[in-house]
Amino acid sequence: MAAKNHIDLVIKTLHVLESLSSSDFGKPLKQIVEEVGLVKSSVFRILFTLKEAGYVEQPESNGVYRLTLKTAGLSRKNSEKLNFISIARPWLHGLFQELNESVALAERRETAVILVDVIEALHPLRLTFHIGDNCPIHATALGKAVAAFVDEAELKSLLDQAELAPFTPRTKTSRKVLKAELQAVREAGYSVNDGETLSGALLVGAPVFDSLQAVCGAISVNIPTVRCPDGRKEQLVRSVTHAAARISEDLARVGFQRR
């Protein structure tokens, strides 16, 4: 089936474009022919067609060929679509399918950690979140996963601004205790919210890093404790940290940097 669907002319055209992309100043027809290994007439027809479509130009008659800005625009338009949410979404969806529990994505902003994407489980008993919600760094798995990996100065700024409100009797409201927990999160590579924002709820989070290895967000899985028997938490940790690592790899692959 693969051989039947193969279009040889498309491959030849891509080879010509790749040859031109390796030079900022363009190349003469003879050099392109040598590099792509095609007959001169075929390369000429491909270049002529690309010129007609606006992807290649030849500033001087019988001169060098070079790519136009229209070609660069194809890559730019695609990279603009590859934002934080769109890159993370496939892994978030995979995590949801694997665990059959609600999953969430948060983004690190200048003074807060904000929920930016959610896939909710279909169970009658489930945790409900809303995009745009703040994720407090002292109580939520998402907030702690981010705060644990910022530098000392930013952590101090976040702590100075944080109210450390007691959502439940399990919420940590001591800055000293919180700093110790964040250090443990940094060492372990994941965070836990065990009834700290909602009694009877367990959330496991993991940090996500951009192409410069700066923490830019976090993902979490959210589960009622009644659906968390022995061994389930360990599975959640493995799955969440794996998905977060894959998202970080994809962000690095496209050169994503947090704003």
Side-chain angles (χ1 to χ4, degrees):
M1 182 63 68
K4 181 179 179 181
N5 291 327
H6 180 88
I7 302 178
D8 189 55
L9 180 58
V10 173
I11 301 301
K12 293 178 180 178
T13 302
L14 291 174
H15 287 331
V16 170
L17 289 171
E18 289 169 353
S19 173
L20 288 173
S21 69
S22 65
S23 172
D24 293 332
F25 305 102
K27 296 178 181 179
L29 177 60
K30 181 180 179 181
Q31 183 179 351
I32 300 171
V33 168
E34 292 173 352
E35 291 182 358
V36 301
L38 301 173
V39 298
K40 183 178 179 179
S41 58
S42 293
V43 176
F44 176 80
R45 287 196 298 271
I46 290 171
L47 288 168
F48 181 86
T49 304
L50 290 171
K51 280 174 59 180
E52 290 289 299
Y55 291 101
V56 168
E57 62 184 1
Q58 192 179 20
E60 299 178 11
S61 179
N62 298 321
V64 299
Y65 294 85
R66 66 187 184 195
L67 298 178
T68 66
L69 291 177
K70 185 175 181 180
T71 309
L74 293 176
S75 175
R76 184 172 62 252
K77 289 176 182 178
N78 186 56
S79 65
E80 288 170 352
K81 295 176 183 177
L82 292 174
N83 58 32
F84 181 59
I85 297 174
S86 65
I87 293 171
R89 205 30 151 69
W91 294 106
L92 208 65
H93 188 70
L95 191 63
F96 165 74
Q97 289 187 313
E98 176 189 354
L99 301 175
N100 194 26
E101 297 291 349
S102 299
V103 294
L105 174 72
E107 186 173 16
R108 173 189 174 190
R109 302 287 174 83
E110 186 174 352
T111 59
V113 180
I114 302 298
L115 195 67
V116 293
D117 198 11
V118 176
I119 303 177
E120 291 190 355
L122 301 179
H123 303 290
L125 178 61
R126 64 181 185 273
L127 307 181
T128 299
F129 300 90
H130 302 285
I131 292 175
D133 283 352
N134 180 43
C135 305
I137 65 169
H138 71 296
T140 65
L142 292 166
K144 286 189 272 189
V146 171
F149 291 88
V150 300
D151 60 37
E152 192 66 29
E154 185 169 353
L155 177 58
K156 182 180 184 304
S157 176
L158 289 172
L159 288 173
D160 288 344
Q161 298 176 61
E163 295 182 11
L164 305 190
F167 297 104
T168 74
R170 299 178 67 92
T171 307
K172 298 176 180 66
T173 56
S174 163
R175 281 170 169 75
K176 182 178 180 180
V177 172
L178 176 59
K179 288 189 69 174
E181 182 182 7
L182 294 179
Q183 179 59 37
V185 170
R186 189 180 185 95
E187 294 171 358
Y190 67 91
S191 60
V192 174
N193 168 4
D194 189 358
E196 296 164 54
T197 53
L198 182 65
S199 297
L202 175 71
L203 299 92
V204 177
V208 172
F209 301 92
D210 69 8
S211 60
L212 298 179
Q213 290 301 298
V215 63
C216 58
I219 61 172
S220 72
V221 59
N222 321 317
I223 180 172
T225 53
V226 295
R227 285 205 301 272
C228 194
D230 292 344
R232 179 65 164 166
K233 179 181 174 181
E234 287 72 17
Q235 180 192 13
L236 301 180
V237 170
R238 288 193 302 271
S239 298
V240 170
T241 54
H242 174 80
R246 301 291 82 77
I247 294 171
S248 298
E249 289 176 359
D250 284 351
L251 292 173
R253 190 172 293 114
V254 301
F256 175 85
Q257 296 178 27
R258 66 176 292 265
R259 293 174 289 179

